[in-house]
Amino acid sequence: MNKLKTFLLLAILCNLTLLAQQKEGDNEVFQIINPDYKLSPYTGMTKQHWKDAAMYLLEGGFSYVHSLDDPMQFPKQEGKSYPVNESQVPTEKLEGLCRTLFVASPLLKENPDLVIHNIKVADYYRHQITKLTDPESASYIEPRSKNGGPSQKLVEFGALAVSMLTNPEVLWNPLPQDEKDKLAKTMLSFGDGPTVDSNWKFFNIFVLSFFKEQGYAVNEKLLVEYLQKSLKAYRGNGWYNDSPAYDYYSMWAFQMYGMIWSEYFGNKHYPEIAAQFEQNFSDLKSNYPNLFSKNGEMIMWGRSISYRTGAIIPFPLMGFQNDGNTNYGWMRRISSGVIKQFFTHPDFMKDNVPTLGFYGAFEPAVQIYSCRGSVYWMGKAFLGLLVPDNNPFWTAKENNGDWDDKFQKNKVYNKYQGDSNILITDYPNIGASEVRAWCHEKVKNDWQKFRSTENYNRLSYSSAFPWQADGVNGEVAMNYVIKNKENNWEVFRLYTFKKFENEIYYRDVVLETDENIKFNLADIPLASGILRVDQNNSDKAVSMRLGHYALPKLDKEIRVEKRKIKDYDVTIIDNGKYQLAMIPLLGWENAEVIKAQGLHPESNESSVINLVTNAASKDKGLNIYATLMLWKKSGEKWSKKELLPVKRIETNHSGVVIKFTDGTTKLVNFN
């Protein structure tokens, strides 16, 4: 009997442990309950699942809230993120409050009585908002001083104004009048003031607009000035310039702000300006969807990578235009795909809060202006819940859009973006998207240390192959690295766009620390990769390396294969998901497979193929460096024709002539 009792007790304890593990796992990874594969055959996600995803984020945040007085303050991630001193803590709390509100407010608009962990959510946010103006509160924010400049507080008050503008019924109307007046005084001190010449102008715009809507006297002259300056940042095809960068954020942030402002304020008060924002918004429909993979995955590119799902917000906001020419099923398929890309990844959450990184924590992608609560900027995706249930964004059947309707296997599709000089490329063979864009920032001028880094300085960025950080020993992925005067490896970052001609993307580049080390670059996207034809114009011999995309180590060791086709050496690496092949055609001495640790966002271990030469100089006559950088899904066999699509390379007075095995010819003309 005692043995039986002991056995039963052990069985109960084991079951309890298993249940606890399952519960912990459920909290870490988002589960799609009752997927609807009839309406959404690719993701299974409906509007209800978007609400579930919002709740998933919000429940994690509220695990740190046990009373109305507890701030939205989360464990600091080790590394360069703030706070680094006590003076930054009030701003940290402000970020946590205002950014989680992006997730909460759309849910509260539908259900003002929402309760999470025994906390009435609406009561919590209203209580916390009033503490911002209470000098006795640890969350108190002093109004901007008379000569004070723009700060992170302006950003967060702009965010708060967005939520209050779209949901005044829950967040503003119930507040006592004296609390409203105090809040107006504090927020307007920031909104009616200086800003940064970037998307930051919208933070002032939303503060001024919200309080004008509520009947307060505001600086309308400044409001109109910032609106007009924001419109002047437009560069066509949906792209705004974010002084000076282009990235996901310079698309989705500008477009979201313009559309939300127009829908909830501008159409009523400034219809002509609103019409301009809405026209600019309409322009993005023809190209922004192509920046995402067939499976609805976003590219790791640009700053503020941890904002992740924020990039999808233009897609549901298309519902406000209710345009019959918009493929809403594709827009939702992309959007839900991006939510799944991150929310179902096992490394996405730590301590019940999203990490600062891409999938998991990844220090090279973190900016010094971010704290742990900054990640909830991704909650702007859930402003899409403001779009009504019966809108076609929610009711259209999911589809793959151009991937099924226009794209054909064994072809490549380029979309050049005009004045922004951005090139979007789609590869049907693996369903991946790719982008090439601006980078021209010196390290010595980059005080925030992000515009000169891997966030921008790669030759291209792929949805299938997230960028790998550079190593101190010359490990490099999708860039050149040069041994400089200090005998250190230095990557290219000072690019100047030249032209997009005959499906070839041309740039010039110089080394930051030595302007006499300079190259002409030509990227030729192929059906299953890239042909690089680059001209070295340096006035001295240089040691240099060129890296392919990198592969993370997944379930098994990365396999390396060497082949010989005709007179060319082929190097292939395979991680069980993808294969990458690199074939030097001209100029290079040899290829190496470099293993790295701690440099890749998907795995601690990774590998990359690097081409190497130790005496490159135009004086030797061999100043053309031609390289094939190819890819395939793992398990697929390479044919000789796939590995060597180039038949012959010739140079003449006109440039470099590429003759392909399919009979086509391209002329690379650097002039």
Side-chain angles (χ1 to χ4, degrees), residues 115 156 205-206 351-352 428 450 463 467 582:
V115 175
E156 307 314 320
I205 288 167
F206 274 101
D351 308 315
N352 294 326
F450 64 83
S463 63
W467 60 256
M582 202 165 189

Side-chain angles (χ1 to χ4, degrees), residues 420-477:
S420 66
N421 302 327
I422 293 169
L423 181 67
I424 298 172
T425 305
D426 292 307
Y427 297 93
N429 283 0
I430 62 168
S433 57
E434 192 177 61
V435 68
R436 292 164 177 82
W438 171 93
C439 183
H440 198 287
E441 185 83 6
K442 294 182 178 180
V443 170
K444 67 177 184 178
N445 298 335
D446 188 12
W447 67 274
Q448 288 185 309
K449 298 293 180 285
F450 64 83
R451 288 197 178 100
S452 63
T453 69
E454 298 92 331
N455 293 282
Y456 294 93
N457 68 29
R458 306 293 85 172
L459 293 165
S460 57
Y461 294 86
S462 171
S463 63
F465 311 110
W467 60 256
Q468 174 174 289
D470 298 325
V472 294
N473 298 314
E475 309 96 318
V476 66

Side-chain angles (χ1 to χ4, degrees), residues 123-275:
D123 288 352
Y124 172 78
Y125 280 103
R126 289 193 295 260
H127 179 71
Q128 286 290 321
I129 287 170
T130 61
K131 291 180 70 174
L132 299 176
T133 59
D134 180 3
E136 302 301 317
S137 167
S139 299
Y140 175 64
I141 303 294
E142 289 187 7
R144 183 182 66 90
S145 62
K146 184 177 180 180
N147 297 317
S151 68
Q152 192 66 37
K153 295 168 185 175
L154 166 63
V155 176
E156 307 314 320
F157 278 131
L160 179 57
V162 171
S163 291
M164 293 196 300
L165 183 67
T166 55
N167 190 8
E169 300 85 359
V170 174
L171 301 175
W172 174 258
N173 295 350
L175 297 178
Q177 188 59 48
D178 63 325
E179 296 291 352
K180 291 179 179 178
D181 293 342
K182 287 191 290 184
L183 196 61
K185 180 181 178 181
T186 296
M187 291 179 67
L188 283 171
S189 74
F190 290 92
D192 184 8
T195 192
V196 177
D197 185 21
S198 67
N199 69 87
W200 277 43
K201 291 185 287 289
F202 277 107
F203 306 132
N204 304 73
I205 288 167
F206 274 101
V207 170
L208 294 168
S209 297
F210 173 73
F211 286 104
K212 174 178 168 60
E213 181 71 8
Q214 297 304 320
Y216 288 84
V218 303
N219 187 343
E220 292 193 53
K221 181 180 178 181
L222 187 65
L223 172 58
V224 172
E225 176 187 333
Y226 284 160
L227 287 165
Q228 291 175 339
K229 285 183 175 179
S230 296
L231 285 168
K232 286 181 180 178
Y234 188 60
R235 297 293 182 270
N237 293 305
W239 292 97
Y240 288 81
N241 181 262
D242 206 15
S243 299
Y246 293 97
D247 50 36
Y248 267 110
Y249 199 58
S250 75
M251 168 64 87
W252 73 259
F254 277 89
Q255 293 288 14
M256 180 212 73
Y257 294 137
M259 194 63 184
I260 290 286
W261 179 84
S262 299
E263 180 73 15
Y264 286 90
F265 181 80
N267 287 327
K268 175 182 175 183
H269 297 281
Y270 301 97
E272 292 183 1
I273 296 176

